[in-house]
PDB file of all heavy atoms in Angstrom:
ATOM      1  N   ARG A  34     131.472  34.398 127.581  1.00  0.00           N
ATOM      2  CA  ARG A  34     131.670  33.676 126.306  1.00  0.00           C
ATOM      3  C   ARG A  34     133.107  33.979 125.842  1.00  0.00           C
ATOM      4  O   ARG A  34     133.531  35.118 125.884  1.00  0.00           O
ATOM      5  CB  ARG A  34     130.694  34.102 125.228  1.00  0.00           C
ATOM      6  CG  ARG A  34     129.277  33.582 125.445  1.00  0.00           C
ATOM      7  CD  ARG A  34     128.448  33.610 124.216  1.00  0.00           C
ATOM      8  NE  ARG A  34     128.471  34.838 123.513  1.00  0.00           N
ATOM      9  CZ  ARG A  34     128.333  34.975 122.148  1.00  0.00           C
ATOM     10  NH1 ARG A  34     128.235  33.895 121.393  1.00  0.00           N
ATOM     11  NH2 ARG A  34     128.363  36.154 121.586  1.00  0.00           N
ATOM     12  N   SER A  49     154.645  39.689 125.185  1.00  0.00           N
ATOM     13  CA  SER A  49     154.658  38.315 124.567  1.00  0.00           C
ATOM     14  C   SER A  49     155.996  37.632 124.791  1.00  0.00           C
ATOM     15  O   SER A  49     155.989  36.411 125.016  1.00  0.00           O
ATOM     16  CB  SER A  49     154.404  38.502 123.073  1.00  0.00           C
ATOM     17  OG  SER A  49     153.045  38.730 122.780  1.00  0.00           O
ATOM     18  N   ILE A 115     135.148  38.230 135.947  1.00  0.00           N
ATOM     19  CA  ILE A 115     136.650  38.173 135.925  1.00  0.00           C
ATOM     20  C   ILE A 115     137.316  38.393 137.213  1.00  0.00           C
ATOM     21  O   ILE A 115     138.243  37.694 137.630  1.00  0.00           O
ATOM     22  CB  ILE A 115     137.153  39.207 134.822  1.00  0.00           C
ATOM     23  CG1 ILE A 115     136.802  38.646 133.423  1.00  0.00           C
ATOM     24  CG2 ILE A 115     138.654  39.359 134.947  1.00  0.00           C
ATOM     25  CD1 ILE A 115     137.088  39.634 132.317  1.00  0.00           C
ATOM     26  N   MET A 198     163.139  37.347 133.224  1.00  0.00           N
ATOM     27  CA  MET A 198     162.420  36.116 133.467  1.00  0.00           C
ATOM     28  C   MET A 198     163.174  34.889 132.909  1.00  0.00           C
ATOM     29  O   MET A 198     163.891  35.046 131.903  1.00  0.00           O
ATOM     30  CB  MET A 198     160.996  36.227 132.768  1.00  0.00           C
ATOM     31  CG  MET A 198     160.240  37.438 133.195  1.00  0.00           C
ATOM     32  SD  MET A 198     159.771  37.433 134.968  1.00  0.00           S
ATOM     33  CE  MET A 198     158.450  36.204 134.905  1.00  0.00           C
ATOM     34  N   ASP A 222     146.592  64.169 112.768  1.00  0.00           N
ATOM     35  CA  ASP A 222     146.591  65.314 113.697  1.00  0.00           C
ATOM     36  C   ASP A 222     146.110  64.859 115.094  1.00  0.00           C
ATOM     37  O   ASP A 222     146.700  65.155 116.150  1.00  0.00           O
ATOM     38  CB  ASP A 222     145.672  66.446 113.215  1.00  0.00           C
ATOM     39  CG  ASP A 222     146.367  67.182 112.063  1.00  0.00           C
ATOM     40  OD1 ASP A 222     147.555  67.009 111.798  1.00  0.00           O
ATOM     41  OD2 ASP A 222     145.613  67.932 111.407  1.00  0.00           O
ATOM     42  N   GLU A 251     134.893  45.427 105.098  1.00  0.00           N
ATOM     43  CA  GLU A 251     133.693  45.751 104.417  1.00  0.00           C
ATOM     44  C   GLU A 251     132.866  46.704 105.159  1.00  0.00           C
ATOM     45  O   GLU A 251     132.085  47.526 104.556  1.00  0.00           O
ATOM     46  CB  GLU A 251     132.884  44.458 104.118  1.00  0.00           C
ATOM     47  CG  GLU A 251     133.559  43.489 103.151  1.00  0.00           C
ATOM     48  CD  GLU A 251     132.698  42.235 102.935  1.00  0.00           C
ATOM     49  OE1 GLU A 251     131.582  42.207 103.489  1.00  0.00           O
ATOM     50  OE2 GLU A 251     133.171  41.356 102.191  1.00  0.00           O
ATOM     51  N   ASP A 255     130.919  53.037 104.142  1.00  0.00           N
ATOM     52  CA  ASP A 255     130.311  54.340 104.226  1.00  0.00           C
ATOM     53  C   ASP A 255     131.247  55.394 104.841  1.00  0.00           C
ATOM     54  O   ASP A 255     130.772  56.523 105.144  1.00  0.00           O
ATOM     55  CB  ASP A 255     129.022  54.263 105.041  1.00  0.00           C
ATOM     56  CG  ASP A 255     127.969  53.364 104.390  1.00  0.00           C
ATOM     57  OD1 ASP A 255     128.015  53.350 103.143  1.00  0.00           O
ATOM     58  OD2 ASP A 255     127.181  52.742 105.112  1.00  0.00           O
ATOM     59  N   ALA A 270     155.611  60.200 110.295  1.00  0.00           N
ATOM     60  CA  ALA A 270     155.429  61.553 110.912  1.00  0.00           C
ATOM     61  C   ALA A 270     155.006  61.419 112.361  1.00  0.00           C
ATOM     62  O   ALA A 270     155.417  62.230 113.162  1.00  0.00           O
ATOM     63  CB  ALA A 270     154.429  62.338 110.069  1.00  0.00           C
TER      64      ALA A 270
END
Side-chain angles (χ1 to χ4, degrees):
R34 290 202 307 151
S49 286
I115 288 170
M198 307 294 285
D222 287 347
E251 294 181 2
D255 295 331

